[in-house]
Amino acid sequence: MPPIDAVSLPLKRAKWRRELKYRKLGKSGLEVSVIGLGTLAMGGGGYGPVDDRESITTIRRAIDLGVNFIDTSDNYGLGHAEEVVGRAIKGSRERVILATKGGTPWDNQGRVVIDCRKEVIIRAAEESLRRLGTDWIDLYQIHTPDPQVPFEETAGALQILIREGKVRHIGLSNFWMEEIKEWVSIDGIVSLQMPYNFLHRDIEEDLLPFCRDQGVGLISYTPLLMGMFAGRITQETRFDRDDHRSLYPQFQGASLRQCLALTDRLRMIAQEWGMTLAQLALSWVISRPGITCAIPGARHPNQVEENAGAGRRMLTEGELGEIDRILDEVGIEAQRLMPMRVVKVKKGPRGAVGLLEGGLKLGVPNSVVPGDMVEVDIVKGKVVGLFRGSN
Ligand SMILES: NC(=O)c1ccc[n+]([C@@H]2O[C@H](COP(=O)([O-])OP(=O)(O)OC[C@H]3O[C@@H](n4cnc5c(N)ncnc54)[C@H](OP(=O)(O)O)[C@@H]3O)[C@@H](O)[C@H]2O)c1
């Protein structure tokens, strides 16, 4: 990555920049800021209404603060987030490590599907380049595994993109232990992007140690649990109809009450340690062993200012222990199961594949037939139960 030009910056900004920490992303030569910027909400298709001018100001403010790692995806707002990122980084492309994702195209009615076939991946990357207004993508990530396509086919497409200079490094996202093992032998895999926050710690069991051994950088997404640990959500919060948080069980009923009780406890600790709740949540994530960086989503400059502040201070072992003690004491597990209807069942290389309402494509038990309802663990993206005859 070209060196960051700090000379022209006002002193205050240069200070922020000096203090924000950077780490190598896996085996790549990329040095990413420990706090990056997620742009899912900027797409406008999931977190309610969006203001592009505000999004662009937010991205530019992040870059000014030294946040050099920007994560987006082709399907955030069906290309809109990439276009916004492209406009924001015009003139400062060299200062940014740009990560996007593919493998989730959409049909002409705007329905997103999972499709990691060779020609789909190559076309998707080319369209991302056009929307982002750049000649290269620093990190191209497969958004989620496609249980219908052999991994060699997808990996082959990625190798072509690297050979052509369109993509510098390859990353994966939402690949759990059983899906990632075959991939690590592929040249150029440098990172894995997974959900990781106070309540979603599944990766600690096996993925995190595995990635550390393999030199794969771990990028934490939803580090604020979609804003829950940023402190603005209360029992009275009502989400817009097109804000996907209204569907998530942790934002409802007893689960929400428990989460809020936890945030109250953590807010007190944050105050004691001289930080905000959001900063505590982010510092915690990036201080956990094996985590390279977190990519909190933000739509307003003041949010990136607050979030970048978390990248200046790592928590000590004693502080991490104190938080674990509180998490154990409060002892909640955010509700994460959702029923979903199976629309089609097809054969995949590793068994039956269910196409679910909403575009998810997941491995299902062989006995599943169209019309069945399955229970999905939405954090792991796995079918964990089946309700027969509910059609
Ligand atoms: N690979 C994947 O499958 C996947 C899945 C999800 C996300 N991601 C990536 O990870 C990024 C982060 O996830 P996320 O955006 O869904 O969730 P998140 O980072 O946990 O939460 C983001 C939300 O928290 C609120 N927020 C952020 N900073 C704040 C602050 N300082 N003060 C108050 N509120 C604050 C904002 O809500 P408001 O907008 O309501 O203000 C923001 O939209 C995404 O943007 C995306 O790049 C990847």
Side-chain angles (χ1 to χ4, degrees):
M1 216 219 22
I4 289 168
D5 168 23
V7 180
S8 57
L9 290 166
L11 201 61
K12 186 166 159 237
R13 289 185 187 172
K15 186 161 174 278
W16 272 86
R17 179 165 292 181
R18 260 204 319 277
E19 290 175 353
L20 182 60
K21 295 188 184 349
Y22 297 82
R23 286 185 184 140
K24 281 228 156 56
L25 183 65
K27 290 183 208 139
S28 76
L30 304 173
E31 287 249 355
V32 295
S33 48
V34 289
I35 298 295
L37 174 62
T39 61
L40 169 62
M42 294 179 186
Y47 274 75
V50 75
D51 173 348
D52 291 349
R53 281 171 57 165
E54 182 79 350
S55 298
I56 289 171
T57 309
T58 304
I59 295 169
R60 291 186 177 155
R61 181 74 185 120
I63 298 171
D64 271 357
L65 291 167
V67 171
N68 70 352
F69 185 48
I70 299 182
D71 178 75
T72 189
S73 168
D74 61 356
N75 73 348
Y76 294 168
L78 308 183
H80 189 67
E82 285 188 334
E83 278 166 8
V84 169
V85 170
R87 283 160 61 197
I89 64 172
K90 211 166 175 207
S92 52
R93 173 66 185 94
E94 305 270 304
R95 293 161 65 187
V96 169
I97 294 173
L98 194 51
T100 192
K101 314 184 192 79
T104 49
W106 51 94
D107 64 18
N108 49 19
Q109 280 158 39
R111 285 179 303 217
V112 173
V113 291
I114 296 171
D115 191 341
C116 291
R117 286 173 300 159
K118 181 177 165 188
E119 65 277 14
V120 175
I121 293 294
I122 291 179
R123 194 174 53 239
E126 284 167 354
E127 283 169 10
S128 289
L129 285 167
R130 180 182 52 74
R131 282 190 292 265
L132 290 163
T134 181
D135 296 332
W136 81 97
I137 292 162
D138 297 293
L139 180 68
Y140 195 70
Q141 305 159 105
I142 295 299
H143 206 143
T144 196
D146 182 342
Q148 269 185 297
V149 176
F151 94 100
E152 294 89 346
E153 177 174 342
T154 311
L158 295 168
Q159 299 298 348
I160 291 172
L161 290 167
I162 288 200
R163 271 203 306 278
E164 291 177 345
K166 293 172 178 159
V167 161
R168 296 259 160 98
H169 300 278
I170 300 167
L172 302 173
S173 158
N174 297 307
F175 280 62
W176 294 89
M177 203 57 194
E178 56 277 27
E179 292 125 356
I180 198 176
K181 274 198 166 150
E182 52 196 359
W183 276 86
V184 286
S185 60
I186 301 291
D187 267 356
I189 298 282
V190 299
S191 65
L192 175 65
Q193 187 180 129
M194 298 301 279
Y196 189 65
N197 55 53
F198 287 134
L199 295 186
H200 296 153
R201 297 176 65 170
D202 309 58
I203 61 169
E204 286 177 3
E205 194 186 320
D206 47 12
L207 257 181
L208 207 43
F210 179 77
C211 287
R212 283 171 82 183
D213 283 353
Q214 300 290 332
V216 172
L218 217 309
I219 302 166
S220 144
Y221 78 69
T222 53
L224 297 170
L225 189 57
M226 302 177 182
M228 179 76 81
F229 297 125
R232 265 197 325 126
I233 289 167
T234 67
Q235 200 70 53
E236 282 69 48
T237 302
R238 296 288 169 268
F239 297 108
D240 285 324
R241 265 163 52 110
D242 61 345
D243 188 323
H244 69 326
R245 286 174 289 192
S246 61
L247 300 173
Y248 280 85
Q250 73 255 22
F251 290 102
Q252 284 154 29
S255 195
L256 174 61
R257 274 194 297 281
Q258 286 186 322
C259 286
L260 293 176
L262 175 62
T263 59
D264 285 346
R265 285 287 299 275
L266 293 170
R267 189 182 284 107
M268 278 158 60
I269 290 283
Q271 268 165 10
E272 226 175 88
W273 295 350
M275 44 178 91
T276 66
L277 177 61
Q279 287 172 336
L280 180 76
L282 296 173
S283 285
W284 178 83
V285 165
I286 57 174
S287 301
R288 298 290 308 172
I291 300 288
T292 308
C293 63
I295 46 167
R299 286 191 283 187
H300 307 289
N302 65 316
Q303 292 177 335
V304 289
E305 284 162 11
E306 181 177 350
N307 298 349
R312 293 181 291 169
R313 150 123 152 70
M314 298 298 139
L315 300 187
T316 63
E317 271 189 36
E319 289 168 338
L320 291 173
E322 173 71 8
I323 289 181
D324 272 343
R325 203 182 53 71
I326 293 173
L327 293 172
D328 277 353
E329 223 174 87
V330 178
I332 61 168
E333 228 183 81
Q335 180 52 262
R336 53 198 282 171
L337 302 179
M338 268 170 85
M340 292 188 194
R341 187 173 299 280
V342 179
V343 180
K344 277 186 197 157
V345 180
K346 294 193 170 179
K347 233 175 112 190
R350 287 176 227 96
V353 175
L355 307 184
L356 312 186
E357 239 169 10
L360 265 185
K361 194 194 268 185
L362 300 176
V364 292
N366 286 328
S367 58
V368 166
V369 295
D372 279 346
M373 292 294 285
V374 285
E375 193 166 39
V376 177
D377 176 337
I378 50 170
V379 180
K380 293 195 88 166
K382 303 274 175 230
V383 170
V384 294
L386 163 66
F387 311 107
R388 182 31 53 72
S390 35
N391 45 339

